[in-house]
Amino acid sequence: MTKGIVITLEGPDGAGKTSVLEGILPLLEAELSQRIMTTREPGGVAISEKIREIILDPINTAMDNKTELLLYIAARRQHMVEKVLPALEEGALVLIDRFIDSSVAYQGAGRGLDKKDIKWLNSFATDGIVPDLTLYFDVPSQVGLARIAKSKDREVNRLDLEQLEMHQKVRSGYLELAQENPKRIVTIDASQTLDQVITETVKIIKEQLR
């Protein structure tokens, strides 16, 4: 049994969840005595970051859908072993930018791979750990892609180059997950201003921790 808490941030490309994570961290640290660790997927540790580079490199257009999924799963496993599980054993509040739901939304709904297979692989990679709370930042696909196009600082990766239809499928996959898991997944309107989204996010997390 782990002692810590896992809260994940999910959303389609351009939802702004990474900016939200950066914004909520100082607010949570100011109010909570519990150790807070932030991390991301794919990545978080050296090996997983190397895998991330392969997955997201725009040059790798020939990548097979199953290869893509398995690379995400491999990165997830290494991340769990090296960083997430030790933090949970120490009782930390672990905030993860993308986690198991991303695979279901992107490789399941987006790529059309079997969701049962993906869920099994997720469980295999995480030793069955499921987030205590998932914050899903919802934004229309056109809005998210427009944000990406306007952002000069954001890296343009292989997934950003996908057609609108792919991004719409991903969003639909997330919305379906939210309907299937109403106790775990809380949907936040990410079309609001960043300050509004940050305020709402902090409120939801504090309520969960109570």
Side-chain angles (χ1 to χ4, degrees):
M1 293 291 289
T2 58
K3 303 172 185 175
I5 296 172
V6 176
I7 297 178
T8 57
L9 288 74
E10 296 280 359
D13 291 285
K17 57 185 176 41
T18 303
S19 297
V20 174
L21 181 56
E22 293 173 354
I24 66 174
L25 182 58
L27 300 176
L28 293 175
E29 288 178 333
E31 293 196 34
L32 302 177
S33 57
Q34 186 176 14
R35 177 198 167 198
I36 302 174
M37 185 189 80
T38 63
T39 187
R40 71 173 182 176
E41 286 202 355
V45 296
I47 293 174
S48 300
E49 289 289 341
K50 289 291 185 182
I51 297 173
R52 178 189 179 92
E53 291 175 12
I54 296 171
I55 295 172
L56 299 182
D57 192 334
I59 201 172
N60 291 331
T61 55
M63 186 178 295
D64 176 76
N65 291 342
K66 290 184 179 180
T67 300
E68 180 183 79
L69 170 63
L70 292 170
L71 286 171
Y72 275 113
I73 295 299
R76 179 163 298 137
R77 177 59 187 173
Q78 192 65 31
H79 182 225
M80 289 294 297
V81 171
E82 276 196 63
K83 194 169 187 178
V84 176
L85 290 174
L88 290 176
E89 288 296 332
E90 293 174 2
L93 169 59
V94 180
L95 303 175
I96 309 177
D97 184 346
R98 295 202 182 285
F99 193 47
I100 56 175
D101 295 309
S102 283
S103 294
V104 179
Y106 278 84
Q107 284 69 54
R111 302 295 193 199
L113 297 182
D114 192 308
K115 293 180 182 179
K116 290 183 180 178
D117 291 343
I118 295 170
K119 290 177 181 178
W120 183 89
L121 285 167
N122 273 333
S123 181
F124 179 71
T126 63
D127 294 338
I129 287 179
V130 175
D132 297 283
L133 171 67
T134 296
L135 302 167
Y136 167 57
F137 298 91
D138 184 53
V139 68
S141 301
Q142 295 93 329
V143 174
L145 293 176
R147 287 177 175 177
I148 292 171
K150 289 180 181 179
S151 177
K152 296 179 181 180
D153 298 327
R154 189 186 190 281
E155 62 176 355
V156 177
N157 60 55
R158 188 172 59 86
L159 296 178
D160 293 334
L161 303 178
E162 294 285 349
Q163 297 297 315
L164 175 62
E165 182 183 4
M166 164 68 175
H167 291 280
Q168 291 173 329
K169 288 180 179 179
V170 169
R171 185 190 180 207
S172 295
Y174 271 125
L175 291 171
E176 185 176 322
L177 279 167
Q179 288 183 336
E180 293 173 351
N181 302 274
K183 293 183 179 180
R184 173 173 69 86
I185 301 178
V186 177
T187 300
I188 296 173
D189 179 6
S191 64
Q192 303 176 88
T193 67
L194 179 58
D195 286 344
Q196 288 174 319
V197 176
I198 288 173
T199 298
E200 186 174 346
T201 302
V202 171
K203 178 182 178 182
I204 292 169
I205 291 176
K206 287 168 66 177
E207 288 175 350
Q208 170 71 17
L209 294 178
R210 290 196 191 102

